[in-house]
Amino acid sequence: MDVIRTAIGLMSGTSMDGIDVALLRTDGRGFIERGPFMGVPYDADFRERLKRALELAQPLTDRNERPAELGDIELELTQRHAIAVTAFLEGFGFAAGDIDVLGFHGQTVLHRPDEGLTLQIGDGGELARRTGISVVYDMRANDMVHGGQGAPLVPAYHAALAGKFQQAGQAVCFVNIGGISNLTFIGTDGRISAFDSGPGNTLIDQWVEMQTGKTYDPGGEIGGRGKVVAALAERYLESAFFRGNIRRSLDRGDFAPLRPGEASLEDGARTLAHVAAASIVKSAGFLPETPSTYIVCGGGRLNGTLMAELSAMAEEQGSRVLSAEQAGFDGDAMEAEAWAYLAVRSLDGLPLTFPGTTGVAAPVSGGVLARP
């Protein structure tokens, strides 16, 4: 009989806006019982520290290297995760002994799949010591050792959630719109395909922050007042990334932000929302079949302008777009839940990645286990 474990997933994504904490009871296979979720936002000063970490990581060629300042940021990130775990346990009435494992993503500061190099800062051993709970971390590296892109990892969880749609004979595509967007496609035959689809929130966030000091476009309201600047949109959509049948994982720096003066605040935000939506549909053209349903999770689903663009484009293909909530899930919690699910799979030596998701030669497990 498969062992059901209680796991907490911890995700700090490319948007660098905070830590998502979610609890899951699962056997790492088909049994999934979703528990509570909590978001812990980063303050502005620490977000700047994480941006600094991106700069410090750029010259690195050894993923184990930690120049002094980067090591300090890593320690602070780990401490913040430990505090988040403690707050979650206290807030929802759990003890450390109730939790079998933490799935710890850390913060991606460098991702160069063509060089077989990925770096997520976050000290799993330190987190285990501070929380008293076993930690599975560094889940991308083994995939890259075996020739994969190291991303995306969430598809294993999406596939487990897709059962009711498959039973209805639908091809379903989960769309995670974070800083970078990625797709997980589960065909009517159960085949999984997954890849990064293009820029998500990052370009919009960078533009709005540059113009206003706000960290994002709340609800897509700013973009909703603008119009698409076709020449700027085409500049992004003509990228070599959208040509050829080789999908690769993206880094947040792969698409350059708009430059000051290239558009008004509103037109820039609208154009970049259009680009995020069009990137998804363009990339979906590489899937084995057109999805019946797109299920959108991640922060981008809250941008009404982006969602309206995506819905209109999908409708032209005969597809429908649902938010995660409309599909019966929690779009805020899904990525953190996935990290809990992956941690349990790692404990059992089950594959985290597959040829159809990261391009790895054969299904492969991964992750490093740290005990308290």
Side-chain angles (χ1 to χ4, degrees):
M1 184 175 170
D2 298 329
V3 178
I4 295 172
R5 293 184 173 92
T6 302
I8 289 176
L10 301 163
M11 166 55 66
S12 179
T14 49
S15 297
M16 301 189 301
D17 52 358
I19 304 166
D20 291 339
V21 190
L23 184 138
L24 204 68
R25 292 186 69 244
T26 182
D27 60 359
R29 296 164 176 83
F31 178 85
I32 294 170
E33 186 178 278
R34 291 166 37 226
F37 167 79
M38 182 174 75
V40 181
Y42 291 140
D43 55 75
D45 287 347
F46 189 63
R47 288 185 76 246
E48 290 304 314
R49 295 259 286 156
L50 289 179
K51 289 179 186 176
R52 173 65 178 151
L54 298 176
E55 297 172 8
L56 293 166
Q58 280 305 306
L60 299 183
T61 56
D62 178 353
R63 65 187 308 273
N64 296 308
E65 193 178 348
R66 296 291 188 276
E69 190 179 352
L70 185 60
D72 291 343
I73 296 170
E74 179 174 53
L75 179 58
E76 184 176 353
L77 178 86
T78 306
Q79 290 169 339
R80 284 173 178 264
H81 277 74
I83 291 167
V85 170
T86 300
F88 181 89
L89 295 175
E90 291 176 352
F92 293 106
F94 294 99
D98 297 328
I99 310 302
D100 295 302
V101 66
L102 303 176
F104 181 29
H105 178 271
Q107 184 72 47
T108 299
V109 293
L110 187 67
H111 189 69
R112 293 186 188 140
D114 296 340
E115 300 171 26
L117 182 62
T118 189
L119 173 54
Q120 289 74 43
I121 57 172
D123 186 332
E126 180 68 15
L127 184 62
R129 284 190 292 275
R130 286 177 177 266
T131 60
I133 303 169
S134 293
V135 176
V136 173
Y137 67 107
D138 199 16
M139 293 194 222
R140 299 187 189 276
N142 196 47
D143 176 80
M144 298 185 85
V145 168
H146 288 84
Q149 293 269 309
L153 265 67
V154 179
Y157 183 55
H158 286 157
L161 294 177
K164 65 179 181 180
F165 294 93
Q166 283 182 278
Q167 289 163 11
Q170 295 183 28
V172 62
C173 183
F174 286 85
V175 183
N176 180 51
I177 308 178
I180 300 295
S181 294
N182 53 66
L183 310 180
T184 301
F185 172 83
I186 301 97
T188 50
D189 60 357
R191 181 164 45 150
I192 304 173
S193 302
F195 43 78
D196 285 353
S197 59
N201 299 321
T202 291
L203 293 174
I204 304 168
D205 294 349
Q206 288 171 331
W207 174 251
V208 170
E209 187 169 15
M210 186 193 309
Q211 302 292 316
T212 70
K214 294 180 181 177
T215 56
Y216 68 106
D217 179 4
E221 294 169 7
I222 296 171
R225 298 195 298 270
K227 63 181 185 298
V228 176
V229 181
L232 293 178
E234 283 307 307
R235 191 171 79 200
Y236 288 106
L237 297 173
E238 288 174 357
S239 163
F241 174 76
F242 299 110
R243 297 194 296 272
N245 203 22
I246 298 174
R247 304 289 84 208
R248 69 177 184 85
S249 56
L250 290 166
D251 182 74
R252 61 178 275 135
D254 284 337
F255 288 88
L258 285 179
R259 295 183 293 273
E262 287 196 293
S264 69
L265 166 64
E266 293 83 1
D267 288 355
R270 175 63 185 275
T271 300
L272 295 172
H274 174 85
V275 166
S279 297
I280 291 162
V281 175
K282 256 182 167 316
S283 291
F286 293 98
L287 295 171
E289 57 185 305
T290 302
S292 308
T293 304
Y294 290 92
I295 298 172
V296 185
C297 48
R301 80 191 191 289
L302 305 176
N303 184 316
T305 301
L306 196 168
M307 287 291 280
E309 291 266 2
L310 179 58
S311 294
M313 294 177 196
E315 199 171 298
E316 291 177 7
Q317 301 179 324
S319 307
R320 63 174 178 163
V321 172
L322 301 176
S323 69
E325 286 72 19
Q326 289 169 329
F329 307 123
D330 184 334
D332 288 327
M334 195 178 288
E335 206 167 6
E337 288 172 358
W339 240 253
Y341 183 78
L342 292 169
V344 172
R345 287 183 69 84
S346 176
L347 289 177
D348 289 344
L350 295 170
L352 307 187
T353 56
F354 305 86
T357 62
T358 65
V360 68
V364 65
S365 192
V368 177
L369 175 63
R371 299 188 187 278

